[in-house]
Amino acid sequence: MNAVPLHLPTLRGEHVRLREWRQSDSAIVRDASHDPLIPLLTTVPDTAGEPEALAFIERQNHRVASGAGYVFAIANDDDRAVGHIGLFFANGAGARASIGYWIGPSERRRGYAADALATLTSWSLKLHDLDRLELYVEPWNVGSWRAAEKAGYEREGLLRAWERIDGRPRDMYMYARLTDRGRAHEA
């Protein structure tokens, strides 16, 4: 969707800041590497090494520079990174983007994911030429799909055997939120 390098803003939510990834954020990447699923679903390394964490951070900053999407560290009120959220443009899929997010295992159940998703969604709905935002959530991940529903996403269905994770087919709920332009076709 975007051939021009993107400018990454800093977005403020109720209790989070979405900002650029910094080398000083490597502790949360190392924390996430201990989660049994985050390394399987994302590019977070499956080892807690500092060089691997710094390489992850560099990849996130490259995604922004390449125009692939907007990638943010989720930071708490003290500006300490607690997780990750990104808006990724779907190649060849028109005006559609998907959002992915994770919170480090030591930082969960504090409302960070819901606040970050609501903040990014509110900003994303204003992007030019974007009609639809999508999320894919594992059915067992109640906290994640509750965050999606709180941010105004609607569950559109269950995608059976949608993705292979650790060699096994896994189902995903598909959630979506339409922009004003995306809803205009319904009139």
Side-chain angles (χ1 to χ4, degrees):
M1 180 171 151
N2 222 332
V4 178
L6 306 176
H7 166 72
L8 190 73
T10 297
L11 306 175
R12 296 192 185 277
E14 196 171 323
H15 298 288
V16 299
R17 265 181 68 210
L18 307 184
R19 59 160 173 77
E20 80 288 346
W21 276 96
R22 302 173 186 153
Q23 288 188 346
S24 59
D25 297 329
S26 65
I28 196 63
V29 179
R30 293 191 320 271
D31 184 33
S33 73
H34 295 295
D35 185 88
L37 288 175
I38 291 175
L40 292 174
L41 297 169
T42 70
T43 63
V44 169
D46 62 1
T47 178
E50 182 74 8
E52 293 86 356
L54 293 174
F56 169 84
I57 290 168
E58 180 62 30
R59 284 192 302 274
Q60 304 323 300
N61 293 330
H62 178 71
R63 292 174 199 260
V64 174
S66 72
Y70 296 94
V71 182
F72 300 89
I74 301 169
N76 66 10
D77 288 329
D78 296 327
D79 199 35
R80 184 176 47 81
V82 297
H84 166 90
I85 192 165
L87 174 76
F88 304 97
F89 302 117
N91 289 333
R96 188 172 81 210
S98 65
I99 295 177
Y101 49 91
W102 55 260
I103 301 297
S106 65
E107 301 293 337
R108 293 183 181 148
R109 293 178 175 64
R110 298 179 190 171
Y112 294 136
D115 192 11
L117 181 57
T119 301
L120 182 60
T121 299
S122 177
W123 177 79
S124 299
L125 290 173
K126 299 171 190 155
L127 292 176
H128 183 68
D129 289 337
L130 192 59
D131 299 332
R132 177 184 172 88
L133 301 172
E134 297 176 346
L135 299 172
Y136 303 94
V137 180
E138 300 88 345
W140 59 264
N141 194 341
V142 177
S144 188
W145 54 259
R146 282 188 179 157
E149 291 172 357
K150 188 175 180 181
Y153 288 80
E154 294 182 31
R155 185 183 303 170
E156 293 186 333
L158 176 67
L159 304 170
R160 298 178 334 156
W162 175 251
E163 183 174 18
R164 282 193 179 202
I165 300 172
D166 203 21
R168 297 187 345 235
R170 301 280 180 102
D171 297 344
M172 293 281 178
Y173 284 141
M174 176 184 238
Y175 280 86
R177 178 129 183 221
L178 301 180
T179 66
D180 288 342
R181 287 170 302 286
R183 281 194 304 278
H185 84 283
E186 296 174 340

